[in-house]
């Protein structure tokens, strides 16, 4: 299972520079609005030091990390919901991603023009959120009109439920709030999912700052990060050791990519389990609380359908044991059935027929 993050923001906030650094894919990062028209897509391996250690233990021929797909979406401007800039094309690209990374400019540079003439991160953030809200308001209003027309005939309980939910969504959006801020029941979430709304998607706010501001405490909330696109671009050109030394010089523990991945996993409620053997050591991403048969199905649908049991051991316990057989002999290996919930860091061997 891979997942995708859509990188969005106003023109000239550093989106394409950041995308280029994160994915090491060369894209046009020129200084003019709508430089990015069709979305650039780059697949990035998720750094996971556990894989190297397990591969050494298993003498694996190759290591296969899990991946994230970054989508660099064209710059948005005020009025996009009414077709300004790239309008609906921009909004349609956002609908296809799992989460939104909203890049917000928080640096001064006379050589890079700001589309609205001044640096105001909160105003920029408000513009983007408002355009997403307006697009969703249009979607909800259209559906509500259809449901109201149907209710003029014989009353249907399911249609009444849908109308009540749509009224709740419309009220939320009319008040300029994201749908993700609403508390919805499991049944309501199923209906909302069919609407493919933009403001239900998780959002990470990525403040693009100057290099000298990287180590400052900007007092950001849990779903917000500070990053310097220029520093990330420099890191992309260095080898692993050089990158570590550069980060140490800057007084930073992790790169922007590492922080973004960690935040993304937390926001999307994802965990990683691992399979390891002589052929390969491989990471697999699943949603938290996934049961063993469904986790097996991520590897191959036949594994889920024919699931018998799973041999499970935490990756650190396996390393301490020294081998799969030693772990079995020491009684560290657990046999788990269909109701077992996969944990982050589980090393698993599935049995199926």
């Amino acid at each position: 299972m891979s997942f995708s993050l859509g990188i969005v923001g106003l023109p000239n906030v550093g989106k394409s520079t950041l995308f280029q650094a994160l994915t090491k894919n060369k894209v046009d990062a020129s200084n003019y609005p709508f430089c990015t028209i069709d979305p650039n897509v780059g697949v990035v391996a998720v750094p996971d030091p556990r894989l190297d250690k397990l591969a050494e233990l298993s003498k694996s021929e190759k290591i296969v990390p899990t991946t994230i797909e970054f989508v660099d979406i064209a710059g948005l401007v005020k009025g996009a919901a009414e077709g300004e800039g790239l309008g609906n094309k921009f909004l349609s690209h956002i609908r296809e991603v799992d989460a939104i990374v909203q890049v917000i400019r928080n640096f001064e540079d006379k050589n890079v023009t700001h589309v609205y003439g001044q640096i105001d991160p909160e105003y920029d953030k408000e513009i983007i959120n408002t355009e997403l809200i307006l697009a969703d308001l249009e979607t909800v209003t259209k559906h509500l009109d259809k449901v109201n027309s149907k209710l003029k005939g014989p009353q249907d309980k399911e249609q009444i439920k849908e109308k009540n939910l749509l009224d709740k969504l419309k009220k939320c959006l009319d008040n300029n709030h994201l749908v993700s801020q609403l508390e919805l029941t499991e049944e309501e979430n199923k209906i909302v999912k069919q609407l493919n709304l933009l403001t239900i998607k998780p959002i990470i706010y990525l403040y693009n700052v100057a290099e000298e501001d990287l180590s400052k405490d900007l007092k950001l909330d849990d779903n917000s990060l500070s990053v310097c696109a220029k520093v990330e671009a420099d890191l992309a050109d260095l080898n692993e050791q050089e990158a570590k030394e550069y980060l140490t010089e800057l007084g930073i523990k992790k790169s922007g990519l590492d922080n973004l991945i960690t935040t993304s996993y937390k926001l999307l409620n994802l965990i990683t389990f691992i399979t390891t053997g002589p052929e390969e050591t491989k990471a697999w991403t699943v949603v938290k609380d996934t049961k063993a048969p469904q986790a097996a199905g991520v590897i191959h649908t036949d594994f889920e359908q024919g699931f018998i049991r799973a041999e499970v051991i935490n990756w650190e316990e396996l390393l301490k044991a020294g081998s799969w057989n030693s772990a079995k002999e020491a009684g560290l290996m657990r046999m788990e059935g269909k109701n077992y919930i996969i944990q982050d860091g589980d090393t698993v061997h599935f049995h199926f027929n």
Side-chain angles (χ1 to χ4, degrees), residues 25-172:
N25 285 354
K26 299 302 177 185
V27 298
D28 194 344
S30 302
N31 176 30
Y32 57 91
F34 312 124
C35 169
T36 309
I37 297 176
D38 292 320
N40 296 295
V41 179
V43 179
V44 176
V46 175
D48 193 337
R50 297 175 297 189
L51 301 182
D52 293 324
K53 294 174 182 177
L54 288 170
E56 185 178 349
L57 177 77
S58 300
K59 297 181 174 56
S60 303
E61 291 181 13
K62 61 179 179 178
I63 297 173
V64 184
T66 190
T67 59
I68 294 179
E69 183 179 85
F70 286 104
V71 183
D72 179 24
I73 298 169
L76 173 148
V77 292
K78 196 171 183 178
E82 283 81 44
E84 290 294 324
L86 294 171
N88 293 328
K89 190 171 185 180
F90 168 91
L91 297 168
S92 67
H93 290 148
I94 301 178
R95 294 188 197 281
E96 297 168 9
V97 300
D98 296 306
I100 298 169
V101 178
Q102 193 179 130
V103 182
I104 302 165
R105 180 170 172 176
N106 197 17
F107 67 90
E108 295 280 356
D109 189 334
K110 293 177 183 178
N111 297 316
V112 182
T113 58
H114 188 285
V115 71
Y116 294 120
Q118 63 179 357
I119 307 302
D120 188 342
E122 293 312 302
Y123 179 63
D124 294 357
K125 179 178 172 181
E126 184 183 329
I127 287 174
I128 295 174
N129 283 344
T130 299
E131 293 307 320
L132 300 181
I133 287 167
L134 288 172
D136 279 354
L137 189 56
E138 183 182 356
T139 300
V140 169
T141 302
K142 283 180 179 177
H143 279 272
L144 187 56
D145 288 343
K146 288 178 183 177
V147 171
N148 282 332
S149 295
K150 290 177 182 176
L151 285 173
K152 289 177 182 177
Q155 297 290 297
D156 181 286
K157 286 184 179 180
E158 293 306 313
Q159 287 177 352
I160 292 171
K161 282 183 185 177
E162 188 175 359
K163 174 187 161 41
N164 291 337
L165 172 59
L166 290 168
D167 283 334
K168 181 159 69 168
L169 295 175
K170 188 174 184 303
K171 184 179 178 181
C172 169

Side-chain angles (χ1 to χ4, degrees), residues 61-292:
E61 291 181 13
K62 61 179 179 178
I63 297 173
V64 184
T66 190
T67 59
I68 294 179
E69 183 179 85
F70 286 104
V71 183
D72 179 24
I73 298 169
L76 173 148
V77 292
K78 196 171 183 178
E82 283 81 44
E84 290 294 324
L86 294 171
N88 293 328
K89 190 171 185 180
F90 168 91
L91 297 168
S92 67
H93 290 148
I94 301 178
R95 294 188 197 281
E96 297 168 9
V97 300
D98 296 306
I100 298 169
V101 178
Q102 193 179 130
V103 182
I104 302 165
R105 180 170 172 176
N106 197 17
F107 67 90
E108 295 280 356
D109 189 334
K110 293 177 183 178
N111 297 316
V112 182
T113 58
H114 188 285
V115 71
Y116 294 120
Q118 63 179 357
I119 307 302
D120 188 342
E122 293 312 302
Y123 179 63
D124 294 357
K125 179 178 172 181
E126 184 183 329
I127 287 174
I128 295 174
N129 283 344
T130 299
E131 293 307 320
L132 300 181
I133 287 167
L134 288 172
D136 279 354
L137 189 56
E138 183 182 356
T139 300
V140 169
T141 302
K142 283 180 179 177
H143 279 272
L144 187 56
D145 288 343
K146 288 178 183 177
V147 171
N148 282 332
S149 295
K150 290 177 182 176
L151 285 173
K152 289 177 182 177
Q155 297 290 297
D156 181 286
K157 286 184 179 180
E158 293 306 313
Q159 287 177 352
I160 292 171
K161 282 183 185 177
E162 188 175 359
K163 174 187 161 41
N164 291 337
L165 172 59
L166 290 168
D167 283 334
K168 181 159 69 168
L169 295 175
K170 188 174 184 303
K171 184 179 178 181
C172 169
L173 295 163
D174 277 333
N175 289 324
N176 208 36
H177 295 310
L178 306 174
V179 172
S180 59
Q181 295 172 319
L182 278 178
E183 288 188 16
L184 300 172
T185 65
E186 189 175 338
E187 186 179 1
E188 286 175 330
N189 269 315
K190 286 180 182 177
I191 299 172
V192 170
K193 191 174 182 181
Q194 294 171 6
L195 296 173
N196 199 17
L197 299 178
L198 300 170
T199 64
I200 195 68
K201 294 182 184 293
I203 300 177
I204 298 170
Y205 297 102
L206 201 62
Y207 290 81
N208 188 10
V209 303
E211 184 177 322
E212 58 269 22
D213 293 333
L214 262 181
S215 56
K216 290 181 181 177
D217 182 8
L218 299 180
K219 301 190 185 313
L220 303 175
D221 60 33
D222 288 344
N223 293 338
S224 299
L225 300 168
S226 61
V227 66
C228 176
K230 182 180 178 300
V231 167
E232 294 301 315
D234 291 341
L235 285 169
D237 292 329
L238 303 176
N239 62 39
E240 188 176 344
Q241 185 56 39
E242 289 171 337
K244 284 181 181 178
E245 291 171 1
Y246 185 30
L247 289 173
T248 302
E249 285 176 23
L250 294 171
I252 307 167
K253 291 181 180 179
K254 288 184 177 180
S255 70
L257 173 61
D258 287 344
N259 285 328
L260 182 55
I261 289 172
T262 301
T263 303
S264 303
Y265 263 67
K266 185 178 177 182
L267 193 62
L268 291 169
N269 213 21
L270 302 173
I271 62 168
T272 301
F273 73 90
I274 304 162
T275 55
T276 185
E279 287 187 14
E280 66 178 21
T281 292
K282 187 167 183 175
W284 305 88
T285 300
V286 293
V287 177
K288 194 176 180 182
D289 295 331
T290 295
K291 291 184 177 180

